[in-house]
Amino acid sequence: MNRYQLKFFADSQEASVFVAHEIANLIRQKNKNGEYCVLGLATGSTPKSIYKELIRLHKEEGLSFKKVYSFNLDEYYPMEPNSLNSYVRFMKEQLFNHVDIPAENYFIPDGTISADKIKEFCAAYEQKIEALGGLDFQLLGIGGNGHIGFNEPGSLINSGTRLMMLDHATRVAAASEFGGQLSKVPKKAITLGVEKILQAKRIVLLAWGERKALVLKAAIEGPVDETLPASYLQTHADTLFVIDN
Ligand code: GLP
């Protein structure tokens, strides 16, 4: 029997408020117990409305990120952090610059490290998460081909944090953010592995709009295998799929 839950909302806005409030409650609960809250965060267009609500909760309702650690799922490789398409820049613009999270508390895979240091970097990234007791909460979107983070089809359930060759379909989907030029989309990315994602205590995957409907159905109802990495979430003990009607 599947252990995941599904929750449907009238629209992505309502869904985002719900998820942002879950994150806020978790931060408050952990902080009340004198603990840090360790978040796994995602990029893409889907979570933007969550970050917007978290900023509102910070500005209007006193939600503090001082005792939050966060780890982003992925970053293109190579990628300069101040580049228009960098996920470092995305996270600063969408969330970090607008809340009180200390700069030393958030981590995003480094798109500037030399190729020979990537393996070492990825191992250290995982160790940092482990040293903090693992991810309390992982936010996920889903790629059109069923990827999570940048774990493309073919990724194993125990795959580690690593450099990944991006699928052609993923690069085509991203091209609009690179001025419509496929040749400008990096061919690789560093991604948190499936194993670390599945070790998160709680996972919430967001999917909005008709364009995600079929891949979502396959991830939720289809077989669990490497052709659709999001299907691995069926094996996780506490995953919620948040979906608009
Ligand atoms: C990228 C990101 C994923 C994200 C996916 C979907 O590939 N690496 O983490 O889930 O895009 O993006 P969007 O939310 O824009 O549909």
Side-chain angles (χ1 to χ4, degrees):
M1 203 189 84
N2 289 316
R3 293 172 287 183
Y4 61 80
Q5 289 185 302
L6 306 175
K7 212 164 163 58
F8 294 89
F9 291 87
D11 56 43
S12 61
Q13 183 50 31
E14 234 180 71
S16 301
V17 168
F18 171 85
V19 175
H21 286 223
E22 175 173 326
I23 295 171
N25 288 340
L26 183 66
I27 294 172
R28 289 191 176 114
Q29 194 54 48
K30 284 249 152 196
N31 290 174
K32 208 170 123 194
N33 298 340
E35 294 165 0
Y36 276 82
C37 184
V38 186
L39 301 176
L41 298 179
T43 53
S45 56
T46 308
K48 281 186 182 176
S49 41
I50 313 267
Y51 298 145
K52 208 171 156 206
E53 175 65 7
L54 286 174
I55 293 168
R56 193 198 66 76
L57 288 168
H58 168 67
K59 297 211 156 123
E60 295 176 16
E61 298 184 25
L63 176 68
S64 174
F65 290 77
K66 281 195 179 137
K67 297 219 155 110
V68 169
Y69 280 103
S70 85
F71 291 85
N72 263 79
L73 284 166
D74 45 20
E75 173 63 296
Y76 290 109
Y77 185 83
M79 183 57 69
E80 289 296 325
N82 55 356
S83 155
L84 213 54
N85 297 103
S86 153
Y87 286 166
V88 173
R89 181 167 174 161
F90 176 100
M91 287 308 299
K92 285 185 177 172
E93 288 181 355
Q94 297 296 325
L95 181 65
F96 299 150
N97 284 353
H98 310 284
V99 296
D100 59 348
I101 187 165
E104 60 275 18
N105 283 22
Y106 61 79
F107 301 92
I108 301 172
D110 184 354
T112 71
I113 41 170
S114 59
D116 60 327
K117 294 266 158 56
I118 293 178
K119 240 183 149 172
E120 209 177 296
F121 174 85
C122 291
Y125 200 74
E126 292 197 348
Q127 277 156 19
K128 248 179 266 167
I129 294 174
E130 281 161 22
L132 291 165
L135 299 168
D136 294 309
F137 180 102
Q138 175 67 59
L139 191 64
L140 289 179
I142 182 169
N145 61 357
H147 71 219
I148 45 175
F150 270 133
N151 291 283
E152 297 284 29
S155 297
L156 299 179
I157 195 164
N158 61 353
S159 58
T161 299
R162 68 208 184 285
L163 187 66
M164 183 90 225
M165 285 294 292
L166 296 177
D167 267 20
H168 182 65
T170 298
R171 295 183 62 239
V172 169
S176 62
E177 289 145 38
F178 289 82
Q181 287 177 276
L182 183 60
S183 61
K184 294 248 163 80
V185 184
K187 293 198 167 72
K188 297 174 189 171
I190 296 174
T191 185
L192 191 68
V194 175
E195 184 177 59
K196 269 280 159 288
I197 294 174
L198 292 178
Q199 283 170 0
K201 294 174 190 87
R202 165 86 162 159
I203 300 175
V204 173
L205 183 143
L206 319 163
W208 321 142
E210 277 184 55
R211 74 189 175 103
K212 294 288 171 74
L214 282 179
V215 72
L216 192 64
K217 182 177 162 68
I220 293 169
E221 296 177 358
V224 176
D225 65 32
E226 73 282 359
T227 63
L228 207 99
S231 68
Y232 292 139
L233 298 173
Q234 292 181 37
T235 69
H236 186 258
D238 189 12
T239 289
L240 173 68
F241 291 88
V242 173
I243 304 160
D244 65 348
N245 282 334

